[in-house]
Amino acid sequence: LGSETAALSRAGNVQDACGCYYWALRLSDKVGADPPALVRRLGGGLNQRGRLALVAGELRAAEASFRDAFAAFSHASDPVNAALVLVNHATVCRSRARSKQRARSSCRSATLQALVAAGAAVLEEVPSAEEVEQLAEAARQQRRAVDAIRPRSPE
């Protein structure tokens, strides 16, 4: 419980910091603050919020935070931090891909387990190679019989 409380506290602090930078930016012309510096700090807070969401497994929230951070760093003409945010965004994409891969694997595993559970009935219904050959020969004989009784067109 202690680590969960600390994580919530960090997330709340980051959210509060982002709100402060946002409002400072909105009021920067009235208080004489440096807008690019505030935008960079806001971008840093958004990036941190995205990282916390990523650790918590909240991929949509992480992706949204990284997009906002990228926009902030791009607006502040800070290509280094913008690139770092793109790396974090790529981590979200990789996590999403791994999650989908795990879901597919789990589905395959469940299907195989169901087949194994019903294995006796399934295996009994599968014809042997000899039976398959007999069925194929019967089909060939039927085709020859049909061809023999089919009227031929004059050529």
Side-chain angles (χ1 to χ4, degrees), residues 3-154:
S3 63
E4 288 180 27
T5 304
L8 290 173
S9 176
R10 279 193 302 272
N13 290 343
V14 169
Q15 185 66 29
D16 291 345
C18 287
C20 290
Y21 290 130
Y22 171 79
W23 283 107
L25 187 60
R26 295 283 309 251
L27 300 171
S28 63
D29 60 336
K30 293 180 175 80
V31 295
D34 181 22
L38 290 173
V39 171
R40 269 193 294 281
R41 289 185 182 262
L42 176 60
L46 292 167
N47 183 47
Q48 184 61 27
R49 187 174 74 180
R51 292 178 66 203
L52 291 172
L54 183 61
V55 167
E58 299 167 357
L59 299 181
R60 285 188 178 158
E63 184 175 26
S65 293
F66 291 141
R67 278 191 194 145
D68 292 343
F70 179 77
F73 288 130
S74 295
H75 184 73
S77 300
D78 188 346
V80 173
N81 281 319
L84 291 173
V85 168
L86 288 178
V87 169
N88 289 337
H89 187 267
T91 303
V92 170
C93 295
R94 282 192 308 270
S95 294
R96 189 172 284 134
R98 275 193 302 269
S99 175
K100 287 180 181 177
Q101 185 178 21
R102 278 192 300 267
R104 279 193 293 270
S105 177
S106 175
C107 183
R108 283 187 195 119
S109 177
T111 301
L112 287 175
Q113 287 175 355
L115 287 173
V116 167
V122 172
L123 293 177
E124 289 173 7
E125 295 175 13
V126 175
S128 67
E130 184 179 310
E131 290 172 316
V132 170
E133 183 56 40
Q134 289 173 353
L135 291 171
E137 180 59 33
R140 285 191 291 270
Q141 287 176 2
Q142 287 177 349
R143 184 171 307 271
R144 284 193 300 269
V146 169
D147 287 343
I149 61 172
R150 186 176 290 151
R152 303 223 182 244
S153 60

